[in-house]
Amino acid sequence: MASELTPYLHVRDARAAIEWYVDVLGAEVVYAPIEMPDGRIGHVELAVDGARWMMSDEFPQLHAEAPRGDRGLPVTLHLTVPDVDGLCARVTAAGTTLDRGPEDAPPAGRVASFRDPFGHRWFLNQP
């Protein structure tokens, strides 16, 4: 069996994040949300063209906290997509500002980056 590394994101509002990732990134929910007794989402899984990640609401008591806007991020999510420009158009139409691009960056290809409304940084790549 091969090893696998899957990002696990924590956000302040998982329901809003699910909606944003589905509407803007074109994600699909591949594992339905598990609602905790207090109403928070304890686990959900999403994917864009098979690129999967897990997510939950914040659980500070478990050291699972969303990014804070007052500092940089230690992790960037790299997502390979077939159309960087098209996805950037949807991201900006949703009110999110791009940090970079879209631009050609040989030898990587067409690239762009942004921080989503939930604080996570995404780097888009179209080889």
Side-chain angles (χ1 to χ4, degrees), residues 93-118:
T96 300
T97 301
L98 299 175
D99 295 330
R100 176 182 177 189
E103 63 192 35
D104 292 325
R110 192 95 173 131
V111 301
S113 66
F114 65 93
R115 188 183 286 209
D116 70 31
F118 310 96

Side-chain angles (χ1 to χ4, degrees), residues 6-123:
T6 305
Y8 205 119
L9 308 182
H10 306 291
V11 296
R12 288 190 191 93
D13 185 345
R15 284 176 180 79
I18 292 166
E19 185 177 324
W20 195 90
Y21 293 137
V22 168
D23 291 346
V24 178
L25 295 188
E28 65 177 304
V29 175
V30 294
Y31 191 98
I34 297 171
E35 186 173 321
M36 305 308 289
D38 65 4
R40 289 182 291 175
I41 299 299
H43 183 82
V44 63
E45 296 180 23
L46 299 105
V48 172
D49 293 329
R52 192 177 189 124
W53 70 95
M54 300 174 189
M55 188 172 68
S56 77
D57 273 306
E58 288 189 300
F59 288 88
Q61 69 276 23
L62 300 174
H63 305 288
E65 298 184 50
R68 302 290 178 233
D70 61 344
R71 60 182 177 158
L73 298 170
V75 174
T76 296
L77 301 163
H78 182 276
L79 181 63
T80 302
V81 297
D83 181 10
V84 165
D85 292 85
L87 186 50
C88 285
R90 291 198 312 271
V91 166
T92 56
T96 300
T97 301
L98 299 175
D99 295 330
R100 176 182 177 189
E103 63 192 35
D104 292 325
R110 192 95 173 131
V111 301
S113 66
F114 65 93
R115 188 183 286 209
D116 70 31
F118 310 96
H120 295 283
R121 186 171 188 269
W122 295 78
F123 183 89

